[in-house]
Amino acid sequence: MKTVLRYLAQAVLYGAFFAFVGYFSTSPRFEHLRPDEALIRISFSHAAQRVGECRERSDEELAKLAPNMRLRTVCPRERAPVLLEIDMDGKPLYKLTAQPTGLQKDGQSTVYRRLTVKSGQRHFAARLSDHSSGVIGYTKEFSIDLAPGKVMVLDFNAAQGGFIIHQG
Amino acid sequence: MPSILLNPRASSVPRWLIPAERAVAGIEALFDRAFGSAENPLHQLGALSFYLFWIVAASGIYVYAFFDTSVAGAYRSVEALTHQQWYLGGVMRSLHRYGSDAFVLTMAAHLLREFVKGRWHGFRWFSWLTGVPLIWLVYASGLGGYWLVWDELAQFSVIATAEWLDWLPIFGEPIVHNFIGRGATTDRFFSLLIFLHIGIPLLLLLLMWIHIYRLSHARTNPTRQLGLAVFAALLLLSLFKPALSGGPANLDAVSSALDLDWIYMFAHPLMYLRSPGFLWVATAGFTLLLALLPLLPRPRPEPKAEVDLDHCNGCSRCFDDCPYVAITMVPRSDGAPHLRQAQVDPELCASCGICAGACPSSTPFRTQAQLKTGIDLPRNSVQALRAKLEAALEELAGAAPVVVFGCDHAVPVTALCATNTACISLPCAGMLPPSFVDYALRNGADGVLVTGCGAGNCNFRLGNQWLVERLEGKREPRLRPAVDRERVRVEWFDRHQGAELSGALAQFRAALPARPLAPEGREMFWKERRKTEEPGRDESSD
Ligand code: HEM
Ligand code: SF4
Ligand code: SF4
């Protein structure tokens, strides 16, 4: 009798352990987005413009430099931050300043953000400045139908003319 | 509810942890009831983790054989394995998944148990500290496995992990850029994943080996019964609820709801609930907390074992029996005609005294006034043990007198002291040299009962195993064959089993055959003995 009880208790304990494993390996369901939401990923890297103007060195200045260093034009290395603003349906949705990377602030600014928004027909306006004056150099306005669970990627590539939209 | 006593003298559990220690001990007691101490899974959680590792490795090799390392093929190949070969490939996949999940749980339980028992400091710091990175490697292995399936869940986990890593200001180009938009992921990414999913578990195995490097005879296999039962249960779960993929990954969409493996992926929702920075603080903080535990102030360690070369013949029994590889055999330094001598590394020594129990010189029959042995604990010497035993034997009176040798970490035997019961507690039952049993029986005890932590649950890992082998004549030093085995009993009980121990003692006493030496005779014996004792023998010295 006692052994039967013990085996029973063992079965219960094994059962509990492996039920735990079985259950939590897939459950409970994780609601990543609500059923009426879509996702926007803003994702790009961009090297903004240099902070200062390039400048010509005078002859005296050049003479002081080692012969292999005598470049007439010197440019500051530091880049401006990238400013980004996005409006959705006429209201500001997101605003960000991305500092350049690198110790000398001479690298690219990288941006990655995920935003959840209500799905549906949406109108966006995106503006970007990569100049130290903050003047807007790139804009894009577009309408898009964001279906639930869809991802819109807002990319930026200056060589390809500015903002690029991918949508699945 | 059984009372669970903690012997404050021997405990490495700090005061603030005692409630948690008791709670865990209560659960262990419950498991003891169901499984018995020797089969108790909670006493073999490290071994169980090793075992699950091997199950996962073996099933993983099978699954890998059918895996197609490419963006297009990964998902397809896993699906094919799952459905076309459900009876073998599918089962293997399920074993691989559930084995990994169970691995996390046994590891977590092992960690928790070692934690509440305060096993992080002193000589144990190495085992503790090398355990910490194992957690990271286990998680890295498991998540990498989920990514290979390249379904919605994989996509979610890869992106969440990339977002988390990108929080660190060390990656020039954010990693997550690689997983955004169609065509972003390449076959090379899958080659990298495969490389990581084989490499990280190999690293894990290496570290598991290092983790037990400072333990001798580390228990890396569970008992046969437990191993079989766990395998059977895993198999049942695999058949009952086969591991399946979600929909294929699609970087242009996100799945609004996911069937998450919470055991591996609980951190992703946590991150989205708070932030990547929060998750870094939480994970790094937890790791740091564990890693710094050994630095907490702790009770002053017991003095470590010391070798006395005059009594060491280099037999290396202590070396064989030390549970913590604290002893090495080195070339003789004192000119004695033996080849080698024992040497203790105090950093590694647990002060368990198992070595003193192993040494052939630890016999109370030696006639020196001061019993010296080859290796001994300064604070719990065999000399002190003999003195205590002799004092106790002299006091023993009444019918069927019994000497009980117990362990500071098991049921406190002091509760059993009575006129016909001598009770002597040792740092570990494994410290008891078998000759002391003989000595007690020849000097007035009708029986000797040895007790200590539950089978498979020795606080110093090997003490109760060695003791049994010595008493059964399977290990040096052996109990003299002529000793009447009916008068010797070994009973292992965990701390909560005080009542069982009293019961076992009563039963043992009742079963003891009558002895020619009646109580009056015993009185005479001691008088005689004192007369014949060589002058100068100092009984009281400690
Ligand atoms: C992959 C996961 C792990 C495995 C496979 C594993 C395995 C083992 C094994 C086999 C033992 C020896 C048991 C014995 O023979 O007495 C052991 C001991 C130990 N483990 Fe782990 N372990 C793991 C993780 C951890 C973690 C995360 C910690 C804590 C941070 C930890 C702390 C310890 C300690 C302190 C001991 C020494 C126990 C003693 O001295 O009595 N382990 N482990
Ligand atoms: S006291 Fe224990 S740990 Fe220390 S040397 Fe002896 S057997 Fe090894
Ligand atoms: S058991 Fe004793 S005699 Fe043998 S090596 Fe160890 S200390 Fe020396």
Side-chain angles (χ1 to χ4, degrees):
Chain A
M1 186 56 208
K2 204 156 170 226
T3 20
V4 175
L5 269 180
R6 275 183 49 170
Y7 280 123
L8 214 68
Q10 290 182 17
V12 168
L13 290 170
Y14 278 121
F17 181 80
F18 285 96
F20 186 96
V21 169
Y23 180 75
F24 284 103
S25 68
T26 52
S27 313
R29 194 157 252 253
F30 172 55
E31 301 276 330
H32 186 36
L33 292 181
R34 290 198 197 87
D36 62 343
E37 282 180 339
L39 191 69
I40 302 175
R41 294 190 202 278
I42 308 164
S43 162
F44 60 83
S45 303
H46 173 58
Q49 298 181 32
R50 307 278 182 192
V51 164
E53 297 291 318
C54 293
R55 170 179 80 82
E56 306 279 297
R57 283 193 174 113
S58 66
D59 290 340
E60 296 98 80
E61 270 182 290
L62 279 181
K64 280 188 210 146
L65 293 171
N68 62 335
M69 302 286 278
R70 285 178 192 160
L71 268 179
R72 188 161 286 279
T73 330
V74 282
C75 294
R77 302 188 55 179
E78 187 181 337
R79 294 183 188 277
V82 167
L83 312 178
L84 174 71
E85 287 174 6
I86 302 172
D87 297 345
M88 184 174 80
D89 299 336
K91 283 186 222 108
L93 174 70
Y94 191 67
K95 191 171 161 174
L96 148 135
T97 307
Q99 296 296 337
T101 50
L103 286 178
Q104 318 233 18
K105 294 193 153 206
D106 57 346
Q108 310 190 80
S109 295
T110 61
V111 178
Y112 174 78
R113 285 293 181 285
R114 57 199 299 290
L115 306 169
T116 41
V117 295
K118 285 261 177 294
S119 53
Q121 185 71 31
R122 297 270 173 251
H123 184 77
F124 290 95
R127 296 178 292 279
L128 184 141
S129 160
D130 65 351
H131 194 271
S132 54
S133 68
V135 68
I136 300 294
Y138 303 87
T139 55
K140 184 164 183 108
E141 293 218 12
F142 57 97
S143 285
I144 197 164
D145 186 21
L146 282 177
K150 282 295 177 193
V151 183
M152 176 184 93
V153 179
L154 187 67
D155 194 356
F156 180 88
N157 188 325
Q160 290 176 27
F163 287 107
I164 305 167
I165 317 297
H166 310 278
Q167 202 206 0
Chain B
M1 191 66 203
S3 72
I4 292 164
L5 295 160
L6 198 60
N7 189 332
R9 188 153 60 89
S11 174
S12 53
V13 183
R15 193 168 306 211
W16 53 273
L17 251 182
I18 289 179
E21 209 278 346
R22 294 216 170 160
V24 169
I27 297 172
E28 274 190 54
L30 220 87
F31 273 72
D32 270 348
R33 291 244 169 107
F35 290 91
S37 192
E39 291 289 341
N40 189 339
L42 301 186
H43 296 166
Q44 16 186 347
L45 288 164
L48 209 49
S49 303
F50 260 83
Y51 177 67
L52 287 165
F53 178 90
W54 293 122
I55 291 183
V56 172
S59 53
I61 290 169
Y62 186 88
V63 172
Y64 175 60
F66 296 89
F67 186 77
D68 181 348
T69 313
S70 69
V71 185
Y75 181 81
R76 215 175 335 105
S77 63
V78 177
E79 279 291 273
L81 181 76
T82 307
H83 298 292
Q84 287 160 24
Q85 242 199 74
W86 65 267
Y87 49 88
L88 183 59
V91 167
M92 286 292 188
R93 179 183 181 195
S94 303
L95 286 177
H96 194 62
R97 173 181 294 186
Y98 296 133
S100 310
D101 284 325
F103 186 30
V104 171
L105 298 181
T106 55
M107 173 181 71
H110 170 61
L111 162 70
L112 191 73
R113 183 168 180 273
E114 301 302 320
F115 173 71
V116 298
K117 284 178 177 275
R119 291 186 180 160
W120 61 69
H121 58 67
F123 65 95
R124 284 193 175 101
W125 74 266
F126 183 85
S127 298
W128 177 263
L129 206 65
T130 52
V132 178
L134 288 174
I135 308 171
W136 284 78
L137 290 176
V138 167
Y139 270 87
S141 305
L143 288 178
Y146 268 109
W147 299 344
L148 283 173
V149 179
W150 209 232
D151 60 355
E152 298 166 325
L153 187 60
Q155 174 186 346
F156 167 75
S157 177
V158 161
I159 292 180
T161 307
E163 288 178 11
W164 178 63
L165 289 173
D166 282 337
W167 184 86
L168 295 177
I170 52 173
F171 302 103
E173 178 78 7
I175 305 171
V176 70
H177 285 190
N178 296 313
F179 305 107
I180 288 173
R182 189 171 297 158
T185 339
T186 60
D187 291 353
R188 271 181 48 205
F189 168 66
F190 274 86
S191 304
L192 176 71
L193 278 191
I194 278 284
F195 177 75
L196 290 177
H197 192 55
I198 295 173
I200 295 175
L202 281 177
L203 202 64
L204 172 65
L205 182 61
L206 176 72
L207 208 74
M208 277 159 58
W209 177 74
I210 294 175
H211 180 58
I212 54 168
Y213 181 71
R214 282 201 182 170
L215 305 177
S216 57
H217 306 269
R219 190 164 181 197
T220 54
N221 286 315
T223 56
R224 175 189 293 261
Q225 186 187 317
L226 181 64
L228 285 174
V230 164
F231 187 75
L234 273 174
L235 203 61
L236 262 174
L237 179 59
S238 300
L239 292 168
F240 183 69
K241 189 188 173 196
L244 301 173
S245 307
N250 171 11
L251 294 175
D252 295 328
V254 281
S255 318
S256 50
L258 288 160
D259 293 332
L260 218 62
D261 182 338
W262 290 84
I263 297 169
Y264 273 100
M265 297 185 182
F266 69 92
H268 297 332
L270 190 65
M271 183 180 84
Y272 288 125
L273 201 66
R274 307 296 295 265
S275 68
F278 172 84
L279 188 58
W280 272 111
V281 171
T283 48
F286 177 69
T287 308
L288 219 63
L289 215 67
L290 290 183
L292 295 181
L293 261 184
L295 298 180
L296 275 187
R298 55 189 153 96
R300 223 150 50 93
E302 288 282 312
K304 310 297 184 180
E306 285 170 6
V307 176
D308 182 344
L309 286 183
D310 291 342
H311 302 271
C312 168
N313 65 16
C315 71
S316 74
R317 287 179 193 171
C318 56
F319 166 82
D320 291 337
D321 287 3
C322 172
Y324 292 102
V325 256
I327 299 173
T328 33
M329 299 306 299
V330 297
R332 205 73 201 185
S333 66
D334 61 350
H338 313 292
L339 272 181
R340 294 179 309 156
Q341 67 191 41
Q343 189 180 58
V344 176
D345 180 346
E347 287 292 308
L348 303 182
C349 174
S351 312
C352 63
I354 290 175
C355 49
C359 186
S361 304
S362 300
T363 160
F365 294 103
R366 298 176 90 189
T367 50
Q368 312 146 304
Q370 282 291 322
L371 176 58
K372 295 264 178 58
T373 183
I375 187 164
D376 209 351
L377 293 182
R379 200 132 94 208
N380 284 297
S381 62
V382 288
Q383 155 68 20
L385 179 61
R386 183 174 72 175
K388 254 189 249 173
L389 176 61
E390 287 182 342
L393 285 168
E394 202 168 346
E395 296 276 301
L396 266 187
V402 170
V403 175
V404 180
F405 289 105
C407 163
D408 292 347
H409 296 272
V411 184
V413 288
T414 38
L416 300 174
C417 299
T419 36
N420 64 347
T421 311
C423 50
I424 296 176
S425 192
L426 296 146
C428 173
M431 184 183 175
L432 184 70
S435 48
F436 273 73
V437 173
D438 194 3
Y439 191 71
L441 290 175
R442 285 214 249 167
N443 292 308
D446 276 10
V448 171
L449 177 75
V450 189
T451 182
C453 310
N457 194 26
C458 173
N459 186 65
F460 296 109
R461 305 186 47 249
L462 305 172
N464 51 14
Q465 187 183 339
W466 292 166
L467 182 87
V468 168
E469 291 182 17
R470 289 171 192 161
L471 294 184
E472 287 178 351
K474 294 179 187 149
R475 187 174 196 90
E476 296 285 1
R478 298 162 213 269
L479 181 60
R480 214 163 47 87
V483 170
D484 183 359
R485 303 291 141 151
E486 274 184 288
R487 300 190 178 278
V488 185
R489 178 73 65 87
V490 179
E491 295 279 2
W492 302 128
F493 290 115
D494 278 315
R495 282 206 328 266
H496 57 92
Q497 293 173 306
E500 282 92 332
L501 176 59
S502 317
L505 174 62
Q507 209 186 25
F508 174 53
R509 196 193 307 276
L512 280 176
R515 220 150 183 223
L517 206 62
E520 311 79 60
R522 197 169 299 118
E523 195 75 5
M524 292 299 299
F525 164 84
W526 277 104
K527 284 206 187 104
E528 283 306 303
R529 169 137 194 197
R530 240 167 282 136
K531 260 187 263 159
T532 57
E533 216 108 76
E534 75 267 48
R537 174 156 175 177
D538 178 5
E539 299 253 347
S540 63
S541 77
D542 217 30

